[in-house]
């Protein structure tokens, strides 16, 4: 029997307007790396997931280990406006040692938005896995720094609490090699 080749059928383009707030689909000018010719080809991936009744990776938990996430209103903190339909699960702050990993720097909120901000809601940009749940885990302080022991605790926490994907948008100084961070390697 011939080994026929199949390809993804169609694509799906969200209506989010991008930074201008006026043009449906305007997100494409800013998030060009989500498109097929130069990026990850998100529209076809989105169409495939929608066909499987798992739009945007619904059912998957992505842990964002970073400076926290603007995922809720609390005291002076405000939920990021394009997280309206984003589900947040099992938050933890390893810096403050509490259950409120609110972002004091902004980087973690940015990363969480790229991953799972609400999509097709006529607002802002799009999240690559807009249907996934986000697990905010704060391992970096307000200056965006954190130590290997804290980061490894965050990795273990995320894995123990059901994260299927763990995002670590952080780096060590170039003089640090893998032998210098055994706790992180062990956690991974």
């Amino acid at each position: 029997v011939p080994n026929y080749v199949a390809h993804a059928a169609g694509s799906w383009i969200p209506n989010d307007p991008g930074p201008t707030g006026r043009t449906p689909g305007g997100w494409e000018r800013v998030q060009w790396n989500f498109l097929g010719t130069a990026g990850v080809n998100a529209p076809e991936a989105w169409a495939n997931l929608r066909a499987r009744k798992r739009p945007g990776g619904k059912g998957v938990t992505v842990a964002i280990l970073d400076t926290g996430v603007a995922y809720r209103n609390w005291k002076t903190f405000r939920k990021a406006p394009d997280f309206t339909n984003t589900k947040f699960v099992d938050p933890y702050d390893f810096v403050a040692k509490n259950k409120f990993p609110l972002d004091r720097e902004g980087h973690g909120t940015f990363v969480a938005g790229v991953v799972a901000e609400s999509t097709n809601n006529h607002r802002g940009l799009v999240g690559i896995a807009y249907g996934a749940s986000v697990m905010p885990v704060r391992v970096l302080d307000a200056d965006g720094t954190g130590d290997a022991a804290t980061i490894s605790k965050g990795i273990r926490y995320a894995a123990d609490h059901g994260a299927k994907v763990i995002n670590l948008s952080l780096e060590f100084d170039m003089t640090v090699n893998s032998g210098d961070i055994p706790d992180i390697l062990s956690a991974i």
Side-chain angles (χ1 to χ4, degrees):
V1 177
N3 187 14
Y4 292 104
V5 175
H7 66 280
S11 64
W12 178 74
I13 304 292
N15 62 21
D16 301 81
T20 65
R22 289 176 276 186
T23 308
W27 63 270
E28 297 173 70
R29 285 190 295 281
V30 177
Q31 294 176 294
W32 54 268
N33 55 322
F34 281 17
L35 302 175
T37 54
V40 297
N41 203 6
E44 283 198 30
W46 289 329
N48 288 338
L49 287 168
R50 289 168 70 81
R52 291 193 168 101
K53 308 285 189 247
R54 298 205 48 178
K58 183 178 179 181
V60 173
T61 297
V62 179
I64 306 295
L65 277 64
D66 212 294
T67 58
V69 176
Y71 72 101
R72 68 182 290 236
N73 293 328
W74 186 71
K75 296 187 179 183
T76 60
F77 296 97
R78 293 290 166 255
K79 184 176 186 176
D82 213 1
F83 285 150
T84 305
N85 298 318
T86 305
K87 182 179 176 185
F88 295 94
V89 298
D90 297 317
Y92 196 78
D93 188 329
F94 282 92
V95 177
K97 297 177 178 55
N98 64 39
K99 294 185 178 235
F100 306 104
L102 293 161
D103 199 345
R104 289 136 175 99
E105 196 272 346
H107 188 265
T109 299
F110 167 75
V111 172
V114 170
V115 172
E117 80 179 52
S118 300
T119 298
N120 206 40
N121 61 354
H122 299 285
R123 168 180 254 160
L125 300 174
V126 300
I128 194 84
Y130 62 87
S133 297
V134 172
M135 180 186 299
V137 180
R138 184 170 175 240
V139 296
L140 305 177
D141 63 19
D143 295 325
T145 59
D147 59 55
T150 302
I151 295 165
S152 65
K153 286 177 191 173
I155 293 169
R156 284 186 173 89
Y157 175 88
D160 289 345
H161 287 82
K164 297 298 181 196
V165 177
I166 299 175
N167 181 88
L168 296 161
S169 293
L170 51 86
E171 62 187 1
F172 287 92
D173 184 270
M174 290 181 61
T175 61
V176 176
N177 63 50
S178 61
D180 297 327
I181 52 172
D183 285 350
I184 290 180
L185 296 181
S186 174
I188 292 170

